[in-house]
Amino acid sequence: MESFTQSVNEGWSHLYQTYTPRTIEFVGSAIVLFGAFWIPALALTTMDLLGPTVIGWRKIQAQSKQPNTAAMKKALSNCFSNQLLTGVIHLALLAATGKPLWKVGPTLPSLRDSVKQLFLASILQEIIFYHAHRALHHPYFYRKIHKKHHEFTTPIALAALYAHPIEYVASNILPVALPPYILGSHIVLFWFHLAWALVLAIVAHCGYELPSISKWNMVVHDMHHEFSRGNYGTIGLCDLIYGTRATEFKTSKVSKKQT
């Protein structure tokens, strides 16, 4: 373990000495953004295309309600354009500030600091995302912006980043990028946080009955897409605080007016 840690630190030191901090931040972030999204998203999309006769995992909603191939292609195109938008915004901010947005130092953070900052980043992400998402369910913003994301009443993995550009910035980029920025996190911690956020979003939208460790997140967000209300957060904390968590709408206290 000690030799592995030493190798990782030496590798990072070499990277830091070879490239500029802004290059490390931009290229590394782009690799994580594309890799952590497209690898699991395309794997799950392939499962969708193969269908229930090949894949044993069950879909939460009926097979007859699953999106068709045309909808999948539309989602794929939109996700790719949104990710390109991320790159453009990142490049513009790097050019405007003249320095990295996150800490790109010669050494990696300690395990203790890493755990602490990733935990805090997850809580901050939940708070920011919940309120941004809840605001998008205001009738005006829902009709003008958020309705696009809810075209998938039966969500699939590609629906995780399928959104209007304004929503993508307000509800996808900012809740993930701001917490590590506020905390002054090392760029590597931002990459871990970004990868985790993408995987969590994909799992929440995949529509499959996955093992129980992820079932709560998956089922409740699937319900959010089906009924367009309740379950606005990522980990459920703010939904518990505000009383908007629902596991069954016919008996839930979540009102139809909570949009």
Side-chain angles (χ1 to χ4, degrees):
M1 183 63 181
E2 185 177 342
S3 60
F4 174 76
T5 302
Q6 183 178 353
S7 298
V8 170
N9 286 326
E10 289 175 354
W12 175 259
S13 179
H14 175 72
L15 189 71
Y16 181 80
Q17 293 171 18
T18 305
Y19 302 100
T20 65
R22 285 195 294 175
T23 299
I24 292 172
E25 177 180 296
F26 180 76
V27 175
S29 299
I31 291 172
V32 173
L33 176 67
F34 279 83
F37 177 75
W38 288 110
I39 292 173
L42 290 179
L44 286 163
T45 301
T46 301
M47 289 169 55
D48 292 338
L49 292 172
L50 290 174
T53 57
V54 178
I55 303 300
W57 290 355
R58 290 180 55 193
K59 281 284 191 174
I60 298 170
Q61 298 191 44
Q63 190 63 32
S64 60
K65 298 177 66 177
Q66 301 303 316
N68 56 29
T69 305
M72 291 182 181
K73 290 180 179 179
K74 183 180 179 182
L76 190 150
S77 176
N78 179 260
C79 290
F80 186 71
S81 63
N82 278 338
Q83 288 198 320
L84 288 181
L85 175 62
T86 306
V88 171
I89 293 173
H90 195 178
L91 276 176
L93 289 172
L94 287 172
T97 60
K99 60 181 181 179
L101 304 180
W102 295 275
K103 180 182 178 182
V104 184
T107 58
L108 293 173
S110 67
L111 178 60
R112 181 179 178 181
D113 287 342
S114 298
V115 172
K116 177 183 176 181
Q117 291 212 5
L118 289 173
F119 172 76
L120 291 175
S122 296
I123 300 299
L124 287 173
Q125 179 193 348
E126 163 76 358
I127 294 170
I128 298 170
F129 177 81
Y130 178 92
H131 292 91
H133 188 193
R134 187 78 182 271
L136 286 169
H137 273 265
H138 182 280
Y140 177 81
F141 294 119
Y142 185 90
R143 185 173 64 254
K144 296 288 186 179
I145 299 172
H146 194 45
K147 188 176 181 179
K148 182 177 182 67
H149 182 67
H150 276 273
E151 288 175 11
F152 285 91
T153 54
T154 303
I156 56 174
L158 289 172
L161 297 185
Y162 181 77
H164 187 286
I166 294 177
E167 173 180 353
Y168 182 72
V169 173
S171 188
N172 289 79
I173 294 179
L174 291 180
V176 176
L178 276 179
Y181 178 81
I182 293 170
L183 295 169
S185 298
H186 193 283
I187 186 62
V188 170
L189 296 185
F190 167 64
W191 292 340
F192 272 106
H193 180 67
L194 173 61
W196 172 247
L198 287 168
V199 171
L200 190 67
I202 291 167
V203 169
H205 289 86
C206 73
Y208 283 100
E209 290 185 355
L210 298 179
S212 59
I213 189 171
S214 58
K215 187 174 182 180
W216 186 89
N217 174 274
M218 174 194 55
V219 171
V220 297
H221 197 73
D222 196 282
M223 291 177 63
H224 175 79
H225 273 261
E226 186 176 5
F227 298 99
S228 295
R229 64 185 190 273
N231 303 327
Y232 300 103
T234 56
I235 59 176
L237 177 62
C238 285
D239 281 303
L240 290 174
I241 293 172
Y242 287 103
T244 53
R245 175 183 173 182
T247 55
E248 194 173 5
F249 279 102
K250 64 183 180 181
T251 59
S252 171
K253 295 181 180 178
V254 178
S255 167
K256 292 183 179 181
K257 295 181 180 180
Q258 286 183 333
T259 56

